[in-house]
């Protein structure tokens, strides 16, 4: 148990079969006793005994769901929503989402806060995030010792075994700051987990989004950076050290611009939010698009990715092509990954995924163009349906997963 | 059990715990009783009871290994080598390996046969392969009903659920031929499994090669075609439909030559054995290399990939650069896959991997150049140590895996 400690007596001394029961109910619940008999492979009397023990501890409760269709409904069990709570924090480079969720994983309330991950000190950022956590808990009268776990996502590689933030191009100054220690100083009884943002969003899709029905899928986040979360056999794939999905700094053009990572022609330099804005500014300066120039003047000499979307709305062809080209570049990378991994789903999320429908269509078309039909048979390519909630849902799922599991 | 039938009474009516015991002994054996207690999580008396039952059936035996170091050695159990046998067949485009192995997976004898997978009819090829199988069995006095399973590898995608050969660019005419039915007509009592060649070679590396100590690795086969087997969490990864690792037909140059698959600028057109030979022939015709021209004249107007190696041995710089460039192109593709998957090992195999040391060095250098250091930390890039045996070892492992498992 190198990363976290859960000293909360409410969840102490569970036996492995009780933990397994809780995990199944959380992921598939509510469930009948006979469904649990099938899932766990134990006798009804054993399952009943486990359920009774967990009900006595207040972790499970009987529920009735749906409409009665005549005859007596079989008794269902589910997690007791208010047995305990988890906190989810999902930070991008320029904003963070903070939420509190109940024991079933339902988000009770969330808040969003602007921040500057590259500019501000870790202590300052963490303090403002945890002020929101405290405010949310107070508002809903949740005592601090009822917070059983905290899941946190950051836009940087996180080492699997230590929870350390590594090579933080977006997170300068965080290499020697322990997010886990900070969180535990506020919630000593809670288990704390840190995860890379794209992995966390993939987990959100797996538990609460389009990924629920898929065993092998990719989640591509296109925002300030580009990242990829990988789900294999229904679990987040963490690779050897914890940072697979590192596609942002794959060189796609050996004659391309130098990247802040030191490499040349990285994907991120062509198709991220800042790259799209930069291309739009170049077009404006070159006199190719009066609409982009007007928007840039309004903003005092700069453009944001959303301005490119605005320009398309006003009929600007140059802006439209910038988005289509960015989609094509992401699509080419994804074609290689789809050929390699043979997934059944690619979910596209992150801020840039909302820049306009042509972005996703361009990605999808390029995947179909560059892959053999065999690899794209039955493949779904879709925008995230839970959009900006993916990170928070993932943070909540990460926290809930680690309430009981000691690894 | 859609693919195979095992009607052999020798392995019928095993209970799940007996199967689990056999699988552990096969993968990790020989083992002591107390090691099996730890692995299976059952009491010593239960384990002893299982072992005794399996010994009575002749599947397990007591063994003594290594030198005595004084005190009494704990009793080890292992699979009884001659309880039963498996057949492994691994076919490339131009040659096939055929072998017979014992119940422990040791290859008793193997044979190699040249063939023309694109030219000759499936029935003719299968008949000549199974003639070798019959000869090997006869030579070692192995009765046919002692063959418990057959593993077969082919250089084409194999559908996970049906065992059908799909989109067989290398295997025209095989789409409507059932390899499984053919094998079962000769060995009705055996379970038969078909697998893609790169997956099979990856399995060989996992069980008998460099992959034994790795949880997540890639096996890249560079030969007539290019393929990639993927091991994740210690198991072969089969994707949604059974054909991941499809990197041969990823387009790396939209202005490149048209490929036989219909796509443009495929990896296989730049770095496979035939592509290397083609580049050498072009250089010879263009008068860039007298050595290559001389070799081409000797062969009557063509060059084979191994001739490029011969030319390098005679000091030819053009041939040397062709190999280095092919390695660079494979390395760029692998850099993306390493960034994506964060494996701990990349094994390079297939005929072209033996073309010269500069091929692997060029691949390795390019991976290090194009990946972030984070992704290549502790990464091993190595030539296969079991070389052409990888396919056969994989075929044997595939067969042994499926003696008991009914999926």
């Amino acid at each position: 148990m190198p990363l976290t400690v859960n000293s909360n007596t409410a969840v102490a001394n569970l036996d492995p079969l009780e933990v397994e029961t809780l995990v199944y109910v959380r992921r598939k619940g509510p469930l009948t006793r006979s469904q649990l008999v099938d899932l766990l492979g134990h006798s009804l009397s054993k399952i009943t005994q486990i359920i009774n023990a967990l009900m006595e501890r207040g972790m499970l409760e009987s529920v009735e769901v749906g409409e009665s269709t005549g005859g007596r409904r079989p008794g269902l069990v589910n997690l007791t929503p208010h047995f305990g709570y988890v906190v989810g924090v999902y930070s991008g480079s320029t904003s963070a989402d903070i939420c509190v969720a109940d024991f079933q994983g339902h988000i009770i309330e969330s808040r969003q806060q602007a921040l500057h991950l590259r500019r501000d000190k870790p202590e300052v950022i963490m303090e403002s995030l945890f002020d929101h956590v405290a405010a949310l808990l107070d508002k809903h009268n949740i005592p601090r010792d009822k917070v059983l776990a905290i899941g946190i996502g950051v836009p940087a590689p996180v080492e699997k075994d230590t929870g350390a933030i590594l090579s933080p191009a977006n997170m300068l100054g965080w290499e020697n700051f322990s997010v886990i220690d900070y969180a535990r100083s506020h919630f000593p009884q809670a288990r704390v987990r840190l995860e890379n943002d794209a992995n966390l969003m993939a987990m959100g899709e797996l538990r609460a989004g389009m990924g629920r029905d898929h065993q092998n899928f990719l989640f591509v986040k296109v925002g300030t950076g580009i990242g990829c979360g990988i789900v294999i056999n229904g679990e987040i794939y963490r690779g050897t050290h914890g940072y697979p999905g590192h596609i942002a700094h794959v060189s796609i053009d050996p004659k391309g611009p130098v990247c802040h990572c030191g490499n040349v022609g990285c994907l991120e330099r062509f198709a991220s939010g800042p790259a799209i804005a930069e291309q739009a500014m170049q077009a404006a300066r070159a006199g190719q698009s009066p609409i982009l120039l007007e928007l840039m003047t309004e903003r005092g000499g700069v453009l944001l990715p959303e301005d490119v979307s605005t320009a398309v709305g006003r009929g600007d062809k140059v802006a439209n092509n910038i988005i289509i080209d960015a989609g094509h570049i992401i699509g080419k990378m994804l074609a290689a990954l789809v050929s390699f991994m043979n997934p059944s789903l690619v979910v596209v999320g992150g801020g840039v995924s909302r820049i306009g429908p042509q972005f996703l269509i361009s990605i999808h078309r390029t995947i179909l163009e560059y892959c053999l039909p065999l690899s794209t048979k039955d493949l779904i390519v879709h925008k995230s349906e839970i959009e900006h909630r993916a990170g928070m849902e993932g943070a909540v799922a990460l926290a809930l997963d680690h309430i009981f599991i000691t690894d």
Side-chain angles (χ1 to χ4, degrees), chain A:
Chain A
M1 205 164 62
L3 296 184
T4 61
V5 168
N6 196 327
S7 56
N8 196 306
T9 50
V11 293
N13 304 321
L14 289 163
D15 76 29
L17 209 50
E18 288 175 329
V19 169
E20 213 180 335
T21 304
L22 289 166
V23 169
Y24 270 119
V25 173
R26 186 169 89 66
R27 294 194 182 179
K28 296 169 188 280
L31 294 171
T32 64
R33 281 164 176 75
S34 65
Q35 284 174 318
L36 280 165
V37 166
D38 291 343
L39 288 166
L40 290 158
H42 286 272
S43 66
L44 183 60
S45 67
K46 181 74 185 164
I47 295 296
T48 303
Q49 180 197 327
I50 293 166
I51 290 172
N52 289 344
L54 292 172
M55 282 183 168
E56 207 156 295
R57 292 181 74 145
M59 297 172 120
L60 289 184
E61 61 174 27
S62 297
V63 283
E64 283 288 325
V65 291
E67 285 173 20
S68 174
T69 55
R72 200 175 139 77
R73 183 175 308 287
L76 289 160
V77 291
N78 207 349
L79 298 175
T80 311
H82 301 296
F83 171 76
Y85 300 85
V86 297
V87 166
V89 176
Y90 168 80
S91 182
S93 299
T94 57
S95 76
D97 294 304
I98 307 102
C99 73
V100 173
D102 67 24
F103 198 52
Q104 287 184 353
H106 293 124
I107 293 175
I108 296 168
E109 189 176 334
S110 69
R111 296 191 175 183
Q112 193 167 57
Q113 190 200 317
L115 48 74
H116 290 272
L117 211 55
R118 286 198 206 194
R119 194 191 66 192
D120 294 336
K121 288 202 163 160
E123 295 80 0
V124 175
I125 290 174
M126 290 304 290
E127 199 181 318
S128 76
L129 295 177
F130 273 71
D131 282 349
H132 283 295
V133 172
L136 285 171
L137 294 174
D138 288 347
K139 182 172 168 191
H140 295 280
N141 296 314
I142 298 168
R144 297 198 158 208
D145 62 1
K146 282 272 198 178
V147 174
L148 302 176
I150 301 173
I152 304 175
V154 292
V158 173
E159 196 168 58
K160 194 161 68 169
D161 296 336
T162 63
I165 295 171
L166 293 178
S167 184
N170 292 322
M171 297 187 73
L172 294 171
W174 290 74
E175 4 3 337
N176 298 315
F177 180 85
S178 170
V179 171
I180 289 174
D181 286 348
Y182 183 92
R184 274 163 58 179
S185 71
H186 284 66
F187 295 91
Q189 82 296 342
R191 190 158 285 171
V192 185
R193 281 280 161 157
L194 194 66
E195 184 55 277
N196 165 262
D197 59 348
N199 282 359
L200 206 65
M201 292 172 93
M203 182 171 261
E205 295 292 339
L206 176 65
R207 294 291 162 69
M210 295 193 69
R212 271 174 302 192
D213 302 324
H214 294 265
Q215 284 291 299
N216 304 301
F217 72 88
L218 295 178
F219 176 86
V220 191
K221 180 204 172 191
V222 190
T224 306
I226 297 173
C228 184
I230 307 166
V231 171
I232 285 180
N233 299 330
E235 303 283 342
I236 297 291
Y237 171 70
R238 289 190 169 85
T240 300
H241 292 303
Y243 25 86
H246 243 237
I247 58 172
H249 299 285
V250 171
S251 175
I252 59 164
D253 182 1
K255 297 186 186 74
V258 173
C259 181
H260 62 77
C261 77
N263 210 339
V264 170
C266 292
L267 178 68
E268 198 164 286
R269 288 300 308 264
F270 291 92
S272 63
I276 288 171
E278 180 58 38
Q279 287 161 41
M281 288 190 275
Q282 280 173 11
R285 285 188 214 107
Q288 292 161 359
S289 162
I291 296 172
L292 285 170
L293 185 61
E294 191 186 320
L295 288 165
M296 191 159 91
T297 310
E298 282 170 20
R299 276 219 197 261
V302 294
L303 285 171
L304 299 180
E306 48 264 44
D307 298 325
V308 185
S309 179
T310 305
V312 174
R314 295 189 195 166
D316 190 73
K317 184 92 181 94
V318 170
N320 190 53
N321 285 354
I322 288 171
I323 295 175
I324 286 176
D325 288 350
H328 178 70
I329 286 167
I330 301 269
K332 269 186 75 171
M333 172 64 69
L334 284 174
L337 300 183
V338 165
S339 299
F340 176 68
M341 196 189 134
N342 188 210
S344 54
L345 171 70
V346 173
V347 184
V348 184
V352 175
S353 72
R354 298 187 284 277
I355 203 167
Q358 63 276 63
F359 184 65
L360 187 80
I361 291 165
S362 176
I363 289 175
H364 199 165
R365 192 215 117 111
T366 305
I367 291 174
L368 293 174
E369 181 184 351
Y370 281 80
C371 285
L372 291 187
L374 209 58
S375 300
T376 52
K377 185 182 150 195
D378 307 326
L379 176 71
I380 298 168
V381 178
H382 210 280
K383 198 156 75 88
S384 171
E385 286 176 347
I386 55 174
E387 299 205 332
H388 68 274
R389 279 201 302 119
M392 266 190 306
E393 294 282 4
V396 166
L398 181 74
L400 285 166
D401 271 1
H402 288 96
I403 289 179
F404 314 113
I405 297 165
T406 57
D407 60 354

